[in-house]
C-alpha cells in the first residue's frame, strides 16, 4: 500500500499553483487549501466525508455556504456590500443579492489548491498531521483565528462591472453595506459621512523618488492589529541608498499594552495624525510599488486599521522579506531562524528593534544583502518636532535631520553563512542533465552526473524521515523559490511538486537539457535548454 508522508503532502499544498475553485476535481477526495484575494494560502482542510468531492467542498460549500459555519470563503468575505445576516428575515431579499455578489467575487478573485488522494487512505488522519506541521499563516482561517476582511472595494467593483447589475441590485447591496456598518459600529441611518478634512500639516512629507522598492513596518498600541501607533517606510533608491520615512500615529485608544516594548505611549502620540490622515500620504507614495514586510503582520495591521476607520484596504503589491531571507540563508532554519533579531547578528545589521523606522530599514537591508548589494544609508532620523496643541502646550514630536553615511556603492558579496568557506558568489555552472520522458511523467530531474558538487550536509536519505539537516534554495523561474534537500539514494531534488510546472512552463520535451548553476552558497538556479533539432 502506498504510504503518504504528512511533510510531503504539506509541501505539495504550499508549493502548488493556485487555481480557480470551479476547476476542483468533481470525482476525487483529498486535501485542499483555500487561497485569499491577496494570493495567500489561509486554510487547509480535507474531504474527510466519503460523500464529498473536492469540487463540492471547495466550490460549493466554502464558496456558497452559510456565513457562520465552517464555510470559510463565505465567512471571511461576509463584509461590506457582500454582507448578509441570514437570520434576519426582513432583509432576506437584499441579503440574497449580497450573497450572490460574494459568490461571484470568490470566483473572480480567490483560488484554491488541492491534492487528490485514494479513498483507501485515512484522509482525516493525514489532515490532522498536516495541520500540526503547517505554518501559522497557512492556517490563519482554521478555527476562526482571523477576522473577516474589510471589503476589497476595487475588486468588488471589478466583479460588478463583469456582472453588469442594474439599479435594483446595486441598491440592495448598498443597503447591505449600511447594515454591515451598523452591525459593526452602531446604527447608521444614512450613507457613511465623509472623513474629516485631512490635516496635512501634521503628516511628515514623504521623500521624493524614484525608488525601486519599499519596506514597511508598524508598531501597535495593543493586541488589536489596527491600533497602529507608529509607521516606518524604508525607501530604496536605484543606487541602493535608503531613506527612511517615519511618523507616529494616534490610534485613539485607551489601552496601551506594548509601551514597555517600543516606548510609545499616549503621551508620545499626542498631536500626531490619525491613521485616516496618514493613509492618503502612503497611498500616493506606495501605489504600484513593491513593498516588503518582515512576516505577514504589517499588511494585516494596515488592513485592520482600515477596517477600524471604515476605509478601503489598499491593494498594494506586498512581499515578505522573511521568504527572501529563507532563500538566501537556508542554513539559519533551525539555527536562529529568519527573524530580524537573528538576521541582525548573522548579517551584522545595525538597528534598534521595535522602532518602525529602524525595523523597516532592516527589512530593506535584508533584501539588499540577499541581492548581494551593501545598502547605502541616507537616513532620515526621527527625533522631535514642535506641534502646537489646542491648549498651546509645546510638544516635541518629529523633526527631521539628515545624516549621510558614505560607503562603497558598488555591489559586494553578502556576508558568508557561518561555517561556509568563502566562495565566489557569481553564478557557477555545476552540471547539465538530459531529461527523458520518464522525468517529465514523474516530475523529477536526475542530478547523478554532478551530484557530488552539491554540499554533503544538504544530502539526505531515501525518504523524508531521513532528510538532511540543511536545505538548498532552488530558483526555477516560478513565483517562489523552493527550499529542499537532496535525495541521496535517487539523486534528485526531494521536493518535486514544482518540477511539473517547471516542465510545463518551459514546454519540456524528451531530449531537452536542464542546467544547474550555483548562484550563492546553498542557492541554485535551474533552467531548461531546448534540444537542437
Amino acid at each position: 500500500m502506498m504510504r503518504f508522508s504528512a511533510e510531503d503532502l504539506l509541501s505539495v499544498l504550499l508549493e502548488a499553483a493556485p487555481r480557480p475553485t470551479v476547476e476542483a476535481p468533481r470525482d476525487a477526495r483529498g486535501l485542499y487549501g483555500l487561497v485569499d484575494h491577496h494570493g495567500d494560502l489561509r486554510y487547509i482542510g480535507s474531504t474527510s466525508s466519503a460523500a464529498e468531492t473536492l469540487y463540492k467542498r471547495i466550490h460549493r460549500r466554502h464558496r456558497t455556504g452559510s456565513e457562520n459555519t465552517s464555510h470559510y470563503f463565505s465567512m471571511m468575505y461576509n463584509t461590506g456590500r457582500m454582507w448578509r445576516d441570514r437570520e434576519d428575515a426582513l432583509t432576506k431579499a437584499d441579503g440574497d443579492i449580497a450573497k450572490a455578489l460574494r459568490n461571484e467575487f470568490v470566483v473572480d478573485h480567490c483560488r484554491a489548491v488541492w491534492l487528490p488522494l485514494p479513498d483507501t487512505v485515512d484522509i482525516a488522519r493525514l489532515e490532522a498531521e498536516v495541520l500540526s506541521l503547517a505554518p501559522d499563516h497557512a492556517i490563519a482561517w482554521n478555527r476562526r483565528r482571523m477576522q473577516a476582511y474589510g471589503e476589497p472595494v476595487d475588486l468588488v467593483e471589478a466583479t460588478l462591472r463583469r456582472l453588469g447589475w442594474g439599479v435594483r441590485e446595486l441598491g440592495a447591496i448598498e443597503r447591505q453595506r449600511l447594515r454591515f456598518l451598523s452591525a459593526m459600529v452602531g446604527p447608521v441611518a444614512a450613507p457613511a459621512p465623509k472623513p474629516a478634512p485631512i490635516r496635512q500639516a501634521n503628516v511628515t512629507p514623504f521623500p521624493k523618488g524614484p525608488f525601486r522598492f519599499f519596506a514597511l513596518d508598524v508598531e501597535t498600541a495593543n493586541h488589536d492589529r489596527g491600533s497602529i501607533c507608529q509607521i516606518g517606510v524604508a525607501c530604496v533608491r536605484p543606487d541602493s541608498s535608503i531613506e527612511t520615512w517615519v511618523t507616529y500615529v494616534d490610534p485613539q485608544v485607551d489601552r496601551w499594552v506594548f509601551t514597555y516594548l517600543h516606548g510609545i505611549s499616549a503621551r508620545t502620540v499626542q498631536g500626531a495624525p490619525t491613521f485616516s490622515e496618514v493613509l492618503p500620504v502612503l497611498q500616493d507614495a506606495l501605489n504600484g510599488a513593491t513593498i516588503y514586510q518582515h512576516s505577514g503582520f504589517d499588511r494585516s495591521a494596515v488592513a485592520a486599521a482600515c477596517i477600524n476607520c471604515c476605509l478601503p484596504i489598499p491593494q498594494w503589491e506586498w512581499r515578505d522579506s522573511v521568504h527572501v531571507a529563507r532563500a538566501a540563508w537556508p542554513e539559519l532554519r533551525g539555527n536562529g531562524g529568519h527573524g530580524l533579531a537573528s538576521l541582525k547578528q548573522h548579517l551584522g545589521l545595525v538597528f534598534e528593534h521595535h522602532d518602525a523606522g529602524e525595523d523597516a530599514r532592516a527589512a530593506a537591508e535584508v533584501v539588499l544583502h540577499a541581492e548581494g548589494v551593501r545598502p547605502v544609508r541616507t537616513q532620515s532620523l526621527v527625533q522631535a518636532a514642535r506641534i502646537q496643541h489646542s491648549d498651546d502646550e509645546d510638544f516635541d514630536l518629529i523633526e527631521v535631520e539628515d545624516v549621510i553615511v558614505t560607503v562603497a556603492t558598488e555591489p559586494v558579496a553578502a556576508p558568508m553563512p557561518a561555517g561556509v568557506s568563502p566562495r565566489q558568489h557569481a553564478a557557477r555552472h555545476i552540471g547539465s542533465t538530459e531529461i527523458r520522458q520518464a522525468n517529465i511523467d514523474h516530475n523529477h530531474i536526475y542530478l547523478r552526473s554532478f551530484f557530488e558538487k552539491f554540499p554533503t550536509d544538504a544530502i539526505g536519505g531515501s525518504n523524508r524521515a531521513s532528510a538532511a539537516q540543511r536545505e538548498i534554495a532552488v530558483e526555477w523561474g516560478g513565483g517562489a523559490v523552493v527550499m529542499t534537500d537532496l535525495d541521496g539514494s535517487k539523486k534528485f531534488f526531494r521536493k518535486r511538486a514544482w518540477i511539473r510546472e517547471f516542465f510545463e512552463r518551459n514546454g519540456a520535451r524528451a531530449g531537452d537539457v536542464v542546467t544547474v548553476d550555483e548562484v550563492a552558497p546553498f542557492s541554485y538556479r535551474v533552467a531548461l535548454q531546448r534540444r537542437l533539432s
Side-chain angles (χ1 to χ4, degrees):
M1 177 179 176
M2 184 179 297
R3 298 180 61 86
F4 294 90
S5 159
E7 292 89 346
D8 288 340
L9 297 178
L10 175 61
S11 294
V12 171
L13 290 174
L14 293 176
E15 297 167 14
R19 297 165 65 181
T21 61
V22 71
E23 295 181 8
R26 298 171 184 246
D27 57 356
R29 299 169 57 218
L31 301 178
Y32 63 87
L34 306 183
V35 178
D36 71 4
H37 64 290
H38 295 298
D40 294 329
L41 178 64
R42 291 302 190 192
Y43 177 87
I44 294 176
S46 76
T47 55
S48 54
S49 168
E52 288 194 324
T53 64
L54 289 164
Y55 175 85
K56 183 177 180 181
R57 187 65 191 161
I58 297 171
H59 189 69
R60 292 296 185 194
R61 295 193 180 276
H62 280 299
R63 184 179 70 92
T64 65
S66 58
E67 300 83 13
N68 58 354
T69 61
S70 60
H71 303 142
Y72 280 90
F73 276 139
S74 290
M75 183 176 67
M76 297 308 298
Y77 293 100
N78 192 33
T79 182
R81 288 173 288 180
M82 299 183 286
W83 181 81
R84 75 160 184 169
D85 178 359
R86 70 188 185 99
E87 303 296 335
D88 187 352
L90 296 178
T91 63
K92 183 180 186 306
D94 287 351
D96 287 349
I97 294 174
K99 183 176 185 293
L101 173 60
R102 186 201 315 143
N103 295 345
E104 295 301 314
F105 172 89
V106 173
V107 167
D108 286 348
H109 306 297
C110 299
R111 294 292 183 264
V113 295
W114 48 82
L115 176 59
L117 295 171
D119 289 338
T120 53
V121 305
D122 188 344
I123 294 177
R125 177 184 60 80
L126 288 174
E127 177 191 12
E129 292 177 359
V130 167
L131 290 175
S132 70
L133 299 172
D136 289 343
H137 66 83
I139 52 175
W141 292 358
N142 291 67
R143 298 183 179 89
R144 306 189 185 195
R145 290 181 292 182
M146 184 173 171
Q147 294 180 340
Y149 293 99
E151 182 186 327
V153 175
D154 292 344
L155 299 183
V156 172
E157 291 291 342
T159 294
L160 287 172
R161 286 194 295 271
R162 177 178 67 81
L163 294 173
W165 279 359
V167 174
R168 182 181 71 86
E169 292 87 355
L170 296 178
I173 61 175
E174 175 60 18
R175 289 190 292 272
Q176 287 304 104
R177 184 185 73 84
L178 297 177
R179 289 165 181 147
F180 169 74
L181 292 177
S182 178
M184 296 299 106
V185 300
V188 178
K194 294 182 179 180
I198 296 172
R199 299 173 293 163
Q200 292 289 354
N202 281 3
V203 182
T204 306
F206 205 86
K208 299 297 184 182
F211 301 108
R212 64 187 183 96
F213 69 85
F214 300 91
L216 183 146
D217 187 86
V218 304
E219 300 293 335
T220 61
N222 56 49
H223 292 288
D224 174 6
R225 294 193 176 197
S227 64
I228 294 174
C229 59
Q230 189 186 38
I231 301 175
V233 181
C235 314
V236 181
R237 296 189 182 278
D239 64 355
S240 298
S241 63
I242 302 175
E243 187 167 354
T244 306
W245 176 90
V246 187
T247 184
Y248 289 119
V249 179
D250 183 356
Q252 300 181 311
V253 297
D254 296 325
R255 188 165 177 263
W256 289 78
V257 174
F258 296 131
T259 298
Y260 79 94
L261 193 63
H262 47 52
I264 304 171
S265 66
R267 167 68 179 174
T268 312
V269 302
Q270 185 180 353
T274 63
F275 180 80
S276 61
E277 294 168 338
V278 172
L279 185 61
V281 175
L282 293 176
Q283 287 276 49
D284 288 345
L286 304 183
N287 274 347
T290 297
I291 307 163
Y292 283 93
Q293 58 179 337
H294 204 75
S295 82
F297 178 84
D298 304 286
R299 183 171 77 179
S300 66
V302 170
C306 288
I307 293 171
N308 289 350
C309 298
C310 297
L311 296 171
I313 299 173
Q315 301 301 307
W316 294 335
E317 184 186 339
W318 289 96
R319 295 186 186 177
D320 194 338
S321 53
V322 172
H323 297 165
V324 174
R326 286 173 180 165
W329 304 285
E331 68 276 7
L332 292 181
R333 179 172 292 187
N335 185 29
H338 296 87
L340 284 180
S342 173
L343 292 168
K344 179 178 183 179
Q345 180 178 1
H346 187 69
L347 300 178
L349 305 180
V350 179
F351 66 97
E352 293 295 326
H353 203 14
H354 298 301
D355 174 273
E358 292 278 288
D359 286 347
R361 176 169 54 81
E365 289 187 348
V366 167
V367 176
L368 290 172
H369 276 292
E371 292 178 348
V373 177
R374 180 181 298 159
V376 184
R377 300 180 187 175
T378 309
Q379 276 303 106
S380 297
L381 302 179
V382 174
Q383 292 189 334
R386 307 184 68 81
I387 293 182
Q388 192 73 17
H389 294 278
S390 57
D391 59 0
D392 292 329
E393 175 190 3
D394 286 338
F395 177 68
D396 290 341
L397 184 64
I398 298 175
E399 180 178 291
V400 178
E401 175 184 352
D402 290 333
V403 177
I404 310 297
V405 181
T406 303
V407 296
T409 58
E410 67 273 12
V412 297
M416 299 299 295
V420 179
S421 300
R423 288 191 281 175
Q424 180 64 33
H425 271 232
R428 179 174 70 92
H429 181 68
I430 66 168
S432 301
T433 181
E434 183 177 330
I435 59 173
R436 305 296 185 185
Q437 190 59 46
N439 299 123
I440 298 173
D441 293 341
H442 300 289
N443 306 324
H444 53 59
I445 300 170
Y446 284 123
L447 312 169
R448 295 166 178 163
S449 62
F450 51 95
F451 199 70
E452 73 283 353
K453 295 184 180 179
F454 289 100
T456 57
D457 50 355
I459 299 174
S462 60
N463 55 55
R464 186 72 180 183
S466 57
Q469 293 297 312
R470 181 170 295 194
E471 293 183 323
I472 60 173
V474 181
E475 302 173 15
W476 55 281
V481 172
V482 175
M483 301 302 301
T484 182
D485 70 323
L486 299 153
D487 185 321
S489 174
K490 303 178 184 70
K491 293 183 171 52
F492 55 41
F493 300 113
R494 188 180 306 281
K495 292 181 182 177
R496 295 183 288 131
W498 60 275
I499 296 177
R500 176 179 180 180
E501 186 176 349
F502 170 75
F503 284 153
E504 291 177 349
R505 180 186 291 258
N506 291 283
R509 297 175 296 180
D512 290 344
V513 173
V514 170
T515 63
V516 181
D517 295 339
E518 181 187 52
V519 295
F522 297 95
S523 185
Y524 299 84
R525 180 169 55 240
V526 173
L528 186 135
Q529 293 182 350
R530 181 70 60 206
R531 173 186 57 185
L532 296 178
S533 300

